[in-house]
Amino acid sequence: MSIIARMLVVGSSSVVFLLLISCSGSSTTSITTVPPTTPDFTLSIAPTSLTLTGGATGSAVNVSATAQNSFTGAVSVALTGLPTGVTASPTTLSLTPGTPQSITLTAAVTAPANSASVTFSGTSGSLLHMATLSLTVQSAAMTNAPDVTTYHYDVARDGLNTQETILTPTNVTSTTFGKVAFDTVDGKVDAQPLYLANVVVAGKLHNVLYVASEHDSVYAFDADTNTQLWKTSLLASGETTSDDHGCSQITPEIGITSTPVIDRRQGTNGAIYVIAMSKDSSNKYHQRLHALDITTGAEISGSPAQITGTYPGTGANSQGGNVIFDPAQYAARTALLLLNGNIYTGWTSHCDAGLYTGWVMGFSESTLAQTQIINLTPNGAEGSVWMSGDGIAADAQGNLYLLDANGTFDTTFTATGFPAHGDYGNAMLKLSTSGSLAVADYFDMYNTGIESADDVDLGSGGEMLLPDQTDSHGNVHHLIVGAGKDRSIYLADRDDMGKFNAGADTNIYQQINGALTGLVYSTPAYFNGVLYYSSDGDTLKAFPLTNAFLATTPSSHSSATFAHPGTTPSISANGTQNGIVWALECGTGSAAVLHAYDPANLAHELYNSNQAASGRDSFGNGNKFITPMIVNGKVYVGTPTGVAVFGLLPH
């Protein structure tokens, strides 16, 4: 018998074939031998797919290494392929086989929508194994609410929010709507609150309410949860707020009075601009312009800026041929205006006391340096810019509009009809911002001297720029409307305001005498061709506009009367539908009341905060000159201690 052997290598094993030959025949037998095995591991993750939303952290991804063939080494795990805006924590792992660890992925609020394959690579020496995570990134949930960055919604000061999709005449009733929160602050809220949607604060997305107090503090609240996000005091070291200078108009302290203005494009994250008054340990008064980061409340580089001013003239508080701005003598009551990169403000006196004149100033929003200045009574006295908290308005051509309070008005004129000495007390004014601030046009009453002497000034109320109005001949008119203490409503053509005419006001576009029964310390609002106006101790009245003229009698009025100082209405609507006129009883010595009216008929009251039982919607005493601010289903009302928040009641 003979034996023949053959070897065949198959994979990692060798197979030996033995061929046995004998005299009686042959047969074959195979024998398999297995060489020594190599230690190894496998890598796995769970889950293998994940969805992230911008501004949120996803579920933990568990990472495991499993030993094979007596593997005992450590496995280092790293990630590749993370999309823009997504971060991992931790960024690497060192795994012991059999002991899982986890990694969490977070998408920034700004992370764009994306789909990606994220690779988890595990290495140990020359060994490499990978696992893949299918990752989907969804954009952050963004609200469609509009921003409210300035007083009365826009630079026309029309008081109209046409993007309110939540509140309707149907759901604003005492059974479905009421007070839902109160944001407490450290002083009176004389400035209108402002609102920004979709602001990233500390890495999370918020709708933010901004509130300024007379204690010189600025707050940011989450508008949905009412959580305070940040607070900044604008008092310098050793300073206090200003005293009230013996005047009851802004009392007991003066800090931030005027409504701030916001520019989301300025600075790294956006800026809120605020004027704050204070007094130092030497009893020296300061007026400063501040620019704060909207996400942190921190002062932006170059902020704050001390406000000073001089202007050629020999009027009250002048020296060496210049009128001097004395920060102690003034308060910034007029809401700030942002226009073409400049912040504009007007200045009022403390009652009618002391030496003061009429100032309007402009400041660069990027540097806070003063860029423009004008005095409206440089060779006279008084003529401050008050307007009961309204802001200077602006048109598309960059002109400013305001109502000036009682003060000197020149009785001699240039050949073109302007006051010879530049004194415009008690006037409706149009200012050009091209180059230096200058009066481009004006209107003043024929009896302006008598009215100023009797403190019956036009500038007690605020102005509003009407949308273009077309008359019966197809002519388009650009109108401004305002009213003051003489109880008349004045409409001037902004292209030809009328200037001054001795003997009668035949130079004004339209004048309605006696339309309002009280002194005016308010600003009107406008919706669907109707002007809504109130005065001290008067009802809220609706005056339709037809063929570019205002009705001489109201089409409807509220049953409620509004005690001193009257009411400045605001209007919410979804386009031209679901309009609601909001008005406040805001006297400082009595309980405030929020009213909601049908704009088509002010006699139809939808809601007021006294209707619910047991004082459910009460929110304390009023605060004069405050106007309701409506946005994203909420109504915000400034009070002596904070901001009352109204909205739809929880089910």
Side-chain angles (χ1 to χ4, degrees), residues 277-491:
M277 186 177 187
S278 60
K279 182 170 66 173
D280 63 26
S281 57
S282 300
N283 291 324
K284 181 180 179 181
Y285 294 90
H286 301 268
Q287 303 279 0
R288 297 187 181 97
L289 175 61
H290 297 257
L292 307 180
D293 186 297
I294 62 171
T295 66
T296 65
E299 301 269 8
I300 291 175
S301 178
S303 176
Q306 196 86 222
I307 295 175
T308 61
T310 62
Y311 194 81
T314 58
N317 199 44
S318 61
Q319 299 175 21
N322 286 296
V323 183
I324 309 299
F325 177 81
D326 178 1
Q329 192 59 58
Y330 298 92
R333 188 67 184 94
T334 308
L336 303 187
L337 167 70
L338 173 62
L339 181 69
N340 297 333
N342 287 289
I343 307 293
Y344 291 97
T345 183
W347 298 89
T348 189
S349 60
H350 307 292
C351 295
D352 285 329
L355 300 175
Y356 69 92
T357 49
W359 296 90
V360 174
M361 300 178 185
F363 304 88
S364 165
E365 68 164 331
S366 58
T367 68
L368 305 188
Q370 189 177 96
T371 54
Q372 295 173 310
I373 189 169
I374 190 172
N375 194 290
L376 303 173
T377 49
N379 295 294
E382 302 185 338
S384 67
V385 183
W386 170 253
M387 299 199 300
S388 296
D390 187 19
I392 295 171
D395 64 18
Q397 290 71 46
N399 299 300
L400 310 184
Y401 297 86
L402 60 105
L403 306 180
D404 196 47
N406 54 292
T408 303
F409 181 78
D410 297 341
T411 55
T412 56
F413 303 91
T414 66
T416 53
F418 290 86
H421 302 294
D423 297 318
Y424 290 91
N426 198 38
M428 180 181 282
L429 293 166
K430 175 181 180 178
L431 305 182
S432 169
T433 61
S434 178
S436 300
L437 280 177
V439 177
D441 203 356
Y442 75 97
F443 164 75
D444 213 336
M445 292 74 67
Y446 78 96
N447 60 341
T448 185
I450 296 173
E451 288 197 351
S452 282
D454 293 339
D455 193 26
V456 183
D457 55 297
L458 179 61
S460 65
E463 89 302 334
M464 192 193 83
L465 306 188
L466 287 165
D468 290 355
Q469 301 292 317
T470 304
D471 65 22
S472 58
H473 302 290
N475 300 311
V476 176
H477 297 269
H478 310 114
L479 303 178
I480 176 176
V481 61
K485 294 179 183 175
D486 67 2
R487 299 175 172 85
S488 296
I489 299 177
Y490 296 93
L491 277 78

Side-chain angles (χ1 to χ4, degrees), residues 484-507:
K485 294 179 183 175
D486 67 2
R487 299 175 172 85
S488 296
I489 299 177
Y490 296 93
L491 277 78
D493 186 331
R494 304 198 306 265
D495 301 321
D496 182 8
M497 296 180 70
K499 299 185 176 63
F500 176 80
N501 185 53
D505 291 333
T506 54
N507 50 325

Side-chain angles (χ1 to χ4, degrees), residues 168-170 172-173 527-528 530-532 540-543 555-559 562 569-573 576-583 595-608 611:
T168 70
T170 302
V172 176
T173 70
F527 176 62
N528 281 3
V530 179
L531 192 70
Y532 298 88
L540 178 63
K541 298 175 177 178
F543 295 91
S555 58
S556 66
H557 63 83
S558 65
S559 59
F562 295 84
S570 292
I571 301 170
S572 63
T576 60
Q577 305 299 314
N578 289 330
I580 301 174
V581 181
W582 302 86
H595 296 262
Y597 294 104
D598 179 352
N601 180 10
L602 294 178
H604 178 205
E605 185 174 57
L606 306 172
Y607 164 88
N608 74 62
Q611 291 173 338

Side-chain angles (χ1 to χ4, degrees), residues 19 44 61 76-77 81 86 91 155 157-158 161 215 258 316 346 469 520 544 574 627-628:
L19 179 61
S44 63
V61 178
S76 297
V77 179
V86 177
T91 55
V155 297
R157 311 304 186 187
D158 59 21
N161 173 13
H215 200 63
S258 60
Q469 301 292 317
V520 176
N574 187 1
T627 182

Side-chain angles (χ1 to χ4, degrees), residues 197-231:
N198 307 312
V199 179
V200 180
V201 179
K204 295 187 179 299
L205 201 65
H206 300 267
N207 296 321
V208 183
L209 183 75
Y210 296 90
V211 181
S213 80
E214 290 287 4
H215 200 63
D216 269 333
S217 297
V218 181
Y219 294 77
F221 292 95
D222 185 297
D224 302 308
T225 67
N226 302 295
T227 303
Q228 181 180 308
L229 301 173
W230 55 256
K231 172 191 174 183

